[in-house]
Amino acid sequence: MVDGTNPIMIEAEGLTKLYRNFAAIDNVSFKIPKGQIVAFLGPNGAGKTTTMRILTGFLPATSGKARLAGFDVTTQRLQAAARVGYLPENGPLYLDMTPRRLLRFFGEARGMESDRIAARIEAVVKLCAIAEVFDKPIRKLSRGFRQRVGMAHALLHEPDILIMDEPTSGLDPNQIRDVRGAIRELGRDRTILLSTHILQEVEAVADRVLFIHAGKIVFDGTVREFDSRGPNKDEVFHLLTGARS
Ligand code: ATP
């Protein structure tokens, strides 16, 4: 819930990303305090992935600032990266690695001690239920297991901020239920920004909605405020995107 006393953990300040003269995002600003779970909504191509990649330091903004736990993602990159776990849209990209190798590799890349890596791998393998695929190449895994491996990777270094790009896309209903449960559980003591196309997801996991359309934030409020804009979530989505139903 929005609470003025909680520190700001995720901050976008006037973020703009230009591709030639096309603005993928245009002057995007928001602040997410500690402990909130925020659903990032918007139609295809609205700018969600672009915003998340800038926040996680994977893509430079053309202008504006992004901060995680108060650290600038560009000028204080290491401190910012240490605080965040990122689940990219299609899970881990290192398809030839096994989860065992991937998790150790990233633990080492983050400068974690060997004993801590072993302990954290054991913890995330259990939490994300990937023991049965631990030694299989990621390219051979189903989408559901790839997402879980991505989640294990994002949680390895115990970040207190999680940024997840469509964590439930392409999953079956059981997997969706499991992932939503995991997000709610993780959100008890973390700050989470997750993008989704699925409007029921908002109700299931989030405190707040940020809605982006054509690169601009067009709604920022509680789930209840979002719902109060129309007869149902689908209609609100149409209204905010200017689409006719
Ligand atoms: P989706 O829900 O489909 O994943 P999104 O909200 O995540 O969409 P982005 O992937 O951030 O949207 O894309 C925002 C806009 O920027 C789109 O119009 C996209 O085509 C454009 N875009 C993204 N990357 C590039 C690039 N490298 N070069 C040119 N345009 C790009």
Side-chain angles (χ1 to χ4, degrees):
M1 291 288 112
V2 181
D3 176 346
T5 61
N6 277 347
I8 301 302
M9 297 302 280
I10 306 177
E11 182 174 8
E13 188 185 315
L15 290 178
T16 295
K17 179 69 185 179
L18 298 177
Y19 290 108
R20 295 177 178 268
N21 51 10
F22 168 73
I25 60 169
D26 183 5
N27 199 22
V28 164
S29 297
F30 53 82
K31 291 179 183 177
I32 304 180
K34 188 177 167 69
Q36 262 190 4
I37 304 183
V38 178
F40 199 19
L41 296 182
N44 286 126
K48 300 179 293 295
T49 299
T50 302
T51 306
M52 293 179 140
R53 295 190 72 213
I54 293 172
L55 286 171
T56 49
F58 283 91
L59 184 71
T62 306
S63 60
K65 291 207 174 300
R67 296 185 197 89
L68 296 175
F71 296 110
D72 186 296
V73 303
T74 312
T75 59
Q76 297 170 295
R77 191 182 166 86
L78 288 180
Q79 293 98 317
R83 303 298 291 272
V84 68
Y86 176 43
L87 179 69
E89 200 166 359
N90 294 309
L93 291 173
Y94 298 82
L95 299 180
D96 290 327
M97 287 190 186
T98 62
R100 180 196 296 276
R101 177 94 188 83
L102 179 95
L103 294 172
R104 178 148 285 281
F105 175 79
F106 277 103
E108 285 166 1
R110 286 187 174 277
M112 291 164 67
E113 300 282 330
S114 187
D115 286 355
R116 177 155 179 251
I117 295 175
R120 286 300 303 155
I121 288 179
E122 198 181 322
V124 296
V125 165
K126 204 166 161 190
L127 184 70
C128 302
I130 54 170
E132 66 192 88
V133 300
F134 196 44
D135 287 308
K136 287 189 182 167
I138 291 168
R139 73 165 67 255
K140 292 197 175 162
L141 305 186
S142 66
R143 179 154 180 104
F145 272 115
R146 282 190 201 191
Q147 284 294 86
R148 290 196 219 176
V149 172
M151 192 86 100
H153 166 217
L155 293 171
L156 185 70
H157 56 300
E158 294 184 278
D160 46 9
I161 301 169
L162 283 171
I163 296 187
M164 299 190 267
D165 203 348
E166 301 193 25
T168 59
S169 96
L171 303 185
D172 72 35
N174 286 336
Q175 293 168 333
I176 289 176
R177 197 191 50 191
D178 288 351
V179 169
R180 285 183 187 162
I183 291 169
R184 278 195 300 268
E185 189 61 36
L186 291 165
R188 284 170 195 264
D189 51 3
R190 288 178 184 80
T191 308
I192 301 181
L193 176 66
L194 75 139
S195 71
T196 180
H197 285 292
I198 309 167
L199 294 176
Q200 298 94 303
E201 198 128 302
V202 176
E203 206 72 62
V205 300
D207 305 313
R208 172 177 163 195
V209 175
L210 270 177
F211 197 107
I212 187 166
H213 174 46
K216 291 183 196 292
I217 300 290
V218 294
F219 176 89
D220 179 1
T222 63
V223 176
R224 188 181 290 215
E225 285 162 353
F226 183 81
D227 289 343
S228 72
R229 291 283 185 102
N232 57 54
K233 285 189 176 58
D234 284 340
E235 283 301 320
V236 178
F237 194 99
H238 282 300
L239 287 168
L240 289 172
T241 53
R244 292 200 184 92
S245 50

